[in-house]
């Protein structure tokens, strides 16, 4: 006969971890400083993937990040004696601003230790909020060790960025709002650094609506949760990438992992290019500019949806968290450069082309009027030229495969560099140098109208009369592309070459006397 538990036994039974956190989340006092943020529909991504896509706008918090929630919930629970000693924390930026604002709102002194790599926008924001900034170490872990040392020597209360129950509970209020705003979400994608946010969100959803899938998203070069899941315990990564600095953490928190291992359904990793593409997607749908870590979960959501086979009768409803918007403005140059690669809308190729008039024209003709995004070349021998070329794609990898096959069939030696980080970061800007022999060379800058066929028109007008000895072109989406081109022009051809420039109809200027050209590119300067 099966025994029946008594009321006393039920009271003594341990409460499931998710239920414990549910209580803490419901009792959090985050709304003394934080605000309820919108759950916005992303119409363009919804149309693209054939499902309902939502974005939780934590960039709209007073400090432009969700971190304010956990920081305030922890600081609000300090005793009067602890508050009098002040607080200290370590952060790449967003937790720092949350601690600074929370401490100032209660009248507590706060010291914030930040890595020396932290963007200026985050350092300045912390100072404006009243925090005292100390820069230490190259990454979060070094800053964190120093903050803990300050806690010991100065008696300050250490406010953990993620490995703390009160912080996790504060972050969990994000899920509480999401459930109230949209009750039938199927999958939630959460960015992962130290794990505080995903622990709070996972615990809340699994306590209230366990059918909802919780998927963590990490950069490929900072995947501490994935490493911990694979090992069954937190492990320390040897190094982490700093592009998404807000999640550049080497080791998942002990408490976040205790929650995540039971309640997180999966972990996805994404590349820097995929993060850049997500920054662009968020901007196009909302006009918000996410920091790389802020766009992380959207990048993972896109990757998930691209490979998803939806067998349900109704469209899937998914949501990602725009966790922060404290972006260093200058990093947008990198984002702009890489977002098209991240969506497979651009490919970069190294192509060997016979060094003879007409070869470049034939190469462009084989591209069948596809837009060129980049074209780098410098004369290096009389036999063979190696071109670094960027090509606009509309059909992704399948289209790229067809292009490579077509060029190869015509005798061009083609290498796909789209996933070669060295090529994308460095080599594309280093194609050039001095030619191996003196040339009768003239250098010109041009403004190319940004429309398909502009480069083909240039080469067709040239009609293979003069050898192109140098070429650099990069499309940045403006009305005109900037081009630098060198030509082998004998003095006897000066008048004919002038007619070519006139017939071309592009704005141009001769740059042969440029000091930079004379120093770095001219054969006579060797």
């Amino acid at each position: 006969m099966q025994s029946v538990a008594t009321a006393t036994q039920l009271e003594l039974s341990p409460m499931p971890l998710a239920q414990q956190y549910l209580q803490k989340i419901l009792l959090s006092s985050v709304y003394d400083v934080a605000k309820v943020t919108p759950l916005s529909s992303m119409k363009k991504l919804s149309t693209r993937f054939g499902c309902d896509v939502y974005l939780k706008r934590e960039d709209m918090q007073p400090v432009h990040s969700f971190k304010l929630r956990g920081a305030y919930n922890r600081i609000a629970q300090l005793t009067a004696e602890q508050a009098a000693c002040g607080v200290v924390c370590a952060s790449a930026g967003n937790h720092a601003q949350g601690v600074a604002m929370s401490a100032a709102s209660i009248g507590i002194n706060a010291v914030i230790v930040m890595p020396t790599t932290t963007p200026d926008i985050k350092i300045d924001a912390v100072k404006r909020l009243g925090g005292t900034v100390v820069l230490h170490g190259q990454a979060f872990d070094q800053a964190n060790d120093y903050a803990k040392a300050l806690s010991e020597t100065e008696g300050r209360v250490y406010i953990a960025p993620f490995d703390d129950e009160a912080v996790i509970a504060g972050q969990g209020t994000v899920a509480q709002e999401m459930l109230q705003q949209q009750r039938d979400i199927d999958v939630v994608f959460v960015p992962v650094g130290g794990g505080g946010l995903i622990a709070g969100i996972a615990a809340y959803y699994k306590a209230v609506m366990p059918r909802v899938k919780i998927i963590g998203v990490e950069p490929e070069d900072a995947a501490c949760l994935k490493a911990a899941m694979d090992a069954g315990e937190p492990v320390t990564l040897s190094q982490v990438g700093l592009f998404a600095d807000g999640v550049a953490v080497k080791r998942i928190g002990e408490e976040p992992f205790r929650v995540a291992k039971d309640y997180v359904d999966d972990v996805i990793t994404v590349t820097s290019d995929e993060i850049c593409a997500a920054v662009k997607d968020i901007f196009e749908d909302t006009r918000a500019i996410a920091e790389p870590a802020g766009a992380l979960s959207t990048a993972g959501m896109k990757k998930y949806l691209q490979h998803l086979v939806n067998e349900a009768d109704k469209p899937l409803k998914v949501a990602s968290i725009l966790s922060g918007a404290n972006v260093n403005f200058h990093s947008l140059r990198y984002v702009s450069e890489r977002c098209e690669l991240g969506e497979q809308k651009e490919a970069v190729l190294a192509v060997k082309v016979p060094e003879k008039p007409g070869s470049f024209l034939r190469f462009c003709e084989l591209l069948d009027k596809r837009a060129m995004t980049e074209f780098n070349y410098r004369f290096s021998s009389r036999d063979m030229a190696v071109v670094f070329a960027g090509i606009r794609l509309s059909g992704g990898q399948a289209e790229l495969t067809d292009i490579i096959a077509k060029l190869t069939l015509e005798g061009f030696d083609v290498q796909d560099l789209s996933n070669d980080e060295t090529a994308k970061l460095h080599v594309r800007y280093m194609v050039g140098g001095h030619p191996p022999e003196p040339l009768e060379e003239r250098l010109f800058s041009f403004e190319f109208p940004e429309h398909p066929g502009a480069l083909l028109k240039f080469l067709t007008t040239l009609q293979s009369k003069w050898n192109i000895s140098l070429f650099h072109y990069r499309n940045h989406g403006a009305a005109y592309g900037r081009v630098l081109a060198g030509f082998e022009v004998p003095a006897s051809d000066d008048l004919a070459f002038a007619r070519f420039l006139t017939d071309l109809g592009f704005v141009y200027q001769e740059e042969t006397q440029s000091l930079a050209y004379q120093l770095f590119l001219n054969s006579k300067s060797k």
Side-chain angles (χ1 to χ4, degrees):
M1 180 176 177
Q2 189 175 7
S3 62
V4 179
T6 66
T8 302
Q9 287 174 324
L10 288 173
E11 290 174 2
L12 296 176
S13 299
M15 184 184 297
L17 187 58
Q19 295 293 332
Q20 295 176 34
Y21 268 103
L22 175 62
Q23 287 187 351
K24 297 177 187 293
I25 291 167
L26 294 175
L27 294 173
S28 293
S29 54
V30 301
Y31 298 107
D32 291 347
V33 291
K35 60 183 288 188
V36 175
T37 57
L39 184 66
S40 304
S41 173
M42 299 187 74
K43 296 181 179 179
K44 291 186 178 180
L45 283 184
S46 296
T47 300
R48 186 192 308 179
F49 291 109
C51 61
D52 296 329
V53 178
Y54 298 93
L55 186 68
K56 182 61 171 168
R57 296 292 305 276
E58 285 299 286
D59 60 305
M60 298 179 71
Q61 290 293 352
V63 296
H64 308 292
S65 164
F66 75 95
K67 287 286 190 176
L68 178 62
R69 297 174 184 264
Y72 186 83
N73 194 47
R74 176 68 179 89
I75 292 174
Q77 296 180 25
L78 295 178
T79 65
E81 182 179 356
Q82 290 172 326
C85 295
V87 298
V88 61
C89 77
S91 170
N94 290 336
H95 178 60
Q97 293 181 57
V99 169
M101 181 177 181
S102 299
S105 69
I106 305 176
I108 297 174
N109 180 264
V111 171
I112 317 294
V113 183
M114 309 180 81
T116 57
T117 54
T118 304
D120 289 343
I121 185 175
K122 296 183 179 181
I123 296 173
D124 294 341
V126 170
K127 291 179 179 178
R128 286 196 301 271
L129 290 168
T132 300
V133 175
V134 175
L135 298 178
H136 183 88
Q138 292 292 313
F140 165 77
D141 298 276
Q142 295 166 315
N144 197 37
D145 289 342
Y146 189 69
K148 290 179 178 179
L150 286 179
S151 175
E152 292 291 331
T153 58
E154 298 184 3
R156 294 176 177 272
V157 177
Y158 172 74
I159 307 298
F162 46 79
D163 205 357
D164 182 282
E165 292 184 8
V167 171
I168 291 172
Q171 319 302 29
T173 58
V174 172
Q176 181 183 8
E177 293 175 15
M178 292 176 68
L179 188 58
Q180 294 170 348
Q181 292 164 329
Q182 189 68 45
R183 294 183 179 275
D184 54 354
I185 288 176
D186 299 296
V187 189
V188 178
F189 297 85
V190 187
V192 180
L197 179 62
I198 196 167
I201 287 178
Y204 185 88
Y205 266 108
K206 295 305 181 181
V208 178
M209 192 171 285
R211 72 164 186 82
V212 177
K213 283 187 176 181
I214 306 298
I215 298 180
V217 187
E218 298 182 291
E220 285 185 352
D221 55 7
C224 62
L225 176 57
K226 185 177 187 301
M229 291 290 202
D230 292 343
E233 61 182 1
V235 296
T236 302
L237 303 177
S238 58
Q239 60 183 21
V240 294
L242 297 178
F243 172 58
D245 61 290
V247 291
V249 180
K250 289 185 177 180
R251 184 182 178 92
I252 197 77
E254 297 289 337
E255 181 63 16
F257 180 70
R258 187 168 77 99
V259 177
K261 66 182 176 64
D262 290 335
Y263 302 125
V264 171
D265 295 285
D266 200 359
V267 181
I268 294 174
T269 61
V270 294
T271 65
S272 293
D273 289 355
E274 289 167 336
I275 294 172
C276 291
V279 172
K280 179 186 175 186
D281 286 317
I282 290 171
F283 174 78
E284 290 184 341
D285 246 312
T286 68
R287 290 302 183 263
I289 301 178
E291 63 184 273
L296 182 60
S297 61
T298 301
M301 177 194 69
K302 289 172 56 187
K303 197 168 191 175
Y304 178 89
L305 293 175
Q306 285 168 355
H307 300 93
L308 177 70
V309 177
N310 184 17
E311 298 178 352
D313 294 332
K314 62 182 180 63
L316 201 66
K317 293 189 176 184
V318 300
S320 62
I321 318 293
L322 200 179
S323 57
N326 291 304
V327 63
N328 180 353
F329 181 80
H330 298 294
S331 69
L332 295 177
R333 291 178 293 189
Y334 179 90
V335 172
S336 175
E337 186 76 38
R338 302 293 287 267
C339 62
E340 298 293 286
L341 287 162
E343 288 201 318
Q344 294 187 336
K345 292 182 179 179
E346 181 189 20
V348 290
L349 306 175
V351 185
K352 289 185 178 179
V353 180
E355 185 59 271
K356 60 183 181 181
S359 294
F360 288 166
L361 176 58
R362 180 58 182 153
F363 170 71
C364 289
E365 289 174 340
L366 290 172
L367 295 180
D368 194 24
K369 295 186 178 180
R370 289 183 177 87
M372 298 284 291
T373 61
E374 184 168 5
F375 200 85
N376 294 327
Y377 160 71
R378 183 51 161 140
F379 173 86
S380 58
S381 80
R382 288 294 176 187
D383 299 321
M384 191 67 64
V386 181
V387 172
F388 188 101
I391 301 171
R392 183 82 65 200
L393 302 175
S394 57
Q397 185 61 43
E399 181 183 4
L400 176 59
T401 300
D402 290 342
I403 291 172
I404 293 175
K406 188 174 182 180
L407 291 170
T408 302
L409 187 64
E410 289 289 327
F412 292 95
D413 186 347
V414 184
Q415 298 293 326
D416 181 12
L417 302 181
S418 302
N419 295 315
D420 188 317
E421 200 65 19
T422 300
K424 294 184 291 184
L425 273 178
H426 302 292
V427 173
R428 74 193 318 170
Y429 304 109
M430 299 172 70
V431 175
H434 300 288
E437 61 185 76
L439 302 176
E440 291 186 272
E441 185 176 58
R442 293 175 65 184
L443 190 73
F444 292 83
S445 61
F446 296 90
E447 290 184 358
F448 272 36
E450 291 293 0
H451 59 74
L455 180 58
L456 186 61
K457 177 185 177 183
F458 175 86
L459 295 171
T460 303
T461 307
L462 182 61
Q463 285 294 315
S464 307
K465 293 178 182 178
W466 298 280
N467 186 48
I468 298 175
S469 52
L470 178 154
F471 203 92
H472 176 262
Y473 163 69
R474 179 61 178 161
N475 178 323
H476 282 288
Y480 289 89
R482 298 289 183 176
V483 176
L484 187 68
F487 305 87
E488 286 191 271
V489 183
S492 58
D493 285 358
D494 282 352
L495 289 177
F497 189 76
R499 284 196 295 272
F500 153 69
L501 293 173
T502 301
D503 293 342
L504 182 62
F506 293 170
V507 176
Y508 72 90
Q509 180 173 328
E510 184 159 7
E511 308 285 357
T512 306
Q513 301 307 314
S514 162
L515 180 59
Y517 166 69
Q518 295 295 335
L519 288 173
F520 295 106
L521 300 172
N522 187 6
S523 60
K524 298 176 183 178
S525 300
K526 291 175 61 178

